[in-house]
Amino acid sequence: MEIIKKRIEEIKKNGYELNFETVFNHAFTNYKKIALYEGAILFAFLMVVAIFAGIIGASVFGMSKINPKMLEQLKLENLSGVYVAIYLFVAVFFSAVFSPLSAGFIKIADDAEKGEKFQVSAFFKYYKSPYFKELFISTILISFITSGFSIALELAGLQIIGFIISMAISFFTVLTMPLIIFGHLKAIEAIQFSMQIVIKQPLVLLLLLFVAFIASLVGFIGCCIGIFFTLPFMYAMHYAIYCAIIGIDTKDELEQIGLDIE
C-alpha cells in the first residue's frame, strides 16, 4: 500500500503520461482473452437474476396485475416521498452488494494479463474480507451521491443536468475499485485518490472511457445478446487504464492481505 501511495503522491506533484493508442491496444488485447469467458458468465448471471426477479414480481404483484397502467404508476415522478426514499435505498443497496462481482470481472482481466487459468471463484473473490467492506462502503457513498442527485434533479424536471452530474461523479471515481482491489486502499482513500488522479488527465481518460462505452454497445447491433460479450471491453479498459497509470504490484497478494487493510 505504501508503494501505491508514493506513486499517487508522484502523480499529484508531477502528473503522468497517458497514451491513448497504447492504453486502447492493451485493453483490446486483454479483451480478446476474456470476452467469451466473461460474456458467458454475465449472460448466465443476468438470466438467473431475471428469473428470480420475475418470480418475486409475480409473487408480490401477481401476473394478472402487471399491466401498463401499473408500470406507469411505478415511474419515479409518480411515487410519493417515502417510496422515492425506498427506491433510492434499494437501488444503492443492491449496487453495493453486487460491486464485488464487478471487481471480480476486473480481476479476471488481471488473470488474463498474467496468463493464469480463469476460475469462476474469481468472480466471488472480493466478497471475502478485507475487500468486501471497502467495496461496499465506496459503492454506497458513490451510488448514494450519484443516485441522489439524479433523482432530485429528475423530480425537479432537470433530468439532463442530473445525468451529467451523475456521469461526472462516476467518471472521477472510476479508479476507486481498482485502487481497492489492487492497491489495497480504504474506501475513502480510494475515492479521494481516484479523483486526484483523474483530474490530471481528464480529456484522455474521458476519450478512452467513451470509446470503451461505445464499443460495449456494439453488442446491441443485430442480436442484443451480443452485449454480454462486448461489455467485458469496459472491464478490460478499466484494467488497462489502472495499469498505465499506477501499475500492478507484482508481489504476492497473499503477502498484502491483512497487512494493508486491517
Side-chain angles (χ1 to χ4, degrees), residues 6-241:
K6 287 180 180 179
R7 171 62 180 149
I8 293 171
E9 288 302 318
E10 291 177 3
I11 289 172
K12 288 164 63 176
K13 292 179 181 179
N14 306 315
Y16 56 90
E17 295 292 329
L18 195 64
N19 182 276
F20 177 90
E21 183 178 0
T22 300
V23 177
F24 178 85
N25 289 338
H26 182 190
F28 186 68
T29 300
N30 190 279
Y31 162 74
K32 290 187 291 184
K33 300 176 184 177
I34 66 176
L36 290 177
Y37 186 75
E38 287 197 351
I41 295 294
L42 272 172
F43 178 76
F45 174 75
L46 292 179
M47 288 302 100
V48 171
V49 171
I51 291 171
F52 273 102
I55 292 173
I56 293 173
S59 300
V60 174
F61 300 107
M63 289 301 294
S64 61
K65 295 181 180 180
I66 299 178
N67 53 58
K69 184 177 180 180
M70 179 184 175
L71 295 176
E72 181 69 22
Q73 293 174 341
L74 291 175
K75 285 187 176 180
L76 188 60
E77 60 267 24
N78 296 326
L79 298 177
S80 65
V82 173
Y83 285 106
V84 168
I86 293 174
Y87 172 85
L88 175 60
F89 172 80
V90 171
V92 171
F93 177 77
F94 277 99
S95 178
V97 167
F98 289 122
S99 62
L101 286 177
S102 294
F105 281 101
I106 298 176
K107 172 58 180 171
I108 290 296
D110 182 51
D111 291 342
E113 180 79 4
K114 297 174 180 176
E116 298 177 2
K117 184 179 179 180
F118 299 156
Q119 295 182 348
V120 175
S121 60
F123 292 103
F124 305 98
K125 173 184 176 68
Y126 298 111
Y127 277 102
K128 300 176 182 179
S129 178
Y131 301 104
F132 177 74
K133 183 184 73 172
E134 306 306 327
L135 290 169
F136 187 87
I137 292 173
S138 64
T139 306
I140 283 283
L141 293 173
I142 296 170
S143 297
F144 183 79
I145 295 173
T146 55
S147 299
F149 269 115
S150 180
I151 291 173
L153 291 171
E154 182 175 344
L155 292 174
L158 302 172
Q159 293 94 331
I160 295 178
I161 296 178
F163 174 78
I164 292 173
I165 292 176
S166 296
M167 289 299 100
I169 294 171
S170 297
F171 171 64
F172 282 102
T173 57
V174 69
L175 292 175
T176 299
M177 190 171 289
L179 283 169
I180 290 174
I181 64 176
F182 297 128
H184 311 287
L185 298 181
K186 299 276 189 177
I188 302 298
E189 287 180 322
I191 292 173
Q192 292 174 336
F193 288 151
S194 177
M195 292 188 291
Q196 293 168 350
I197 292 169
V198 171
I199 198 64
K200 292 293 184 178
Q201 287 277 12
L203 295 180
V204 178
L205 284 170
L206 183 61
L207 183 58
L208 283 166
L209 292 170
F210 178 74
V211 170
F213 174 72
I214 296 300
S216 297
L217 295 183
V218 170
F220 279 120
I221 298 176
C223 182
C224 290
I225 195 174
I227 188 65
F228 296 107
F229 298 94
T230 54
L231 188 59
F233 186 68
M234 184 62 75
Y235 295 112
M237 180 60 76
H238 285 187
Y239 178 76
I241 288 173

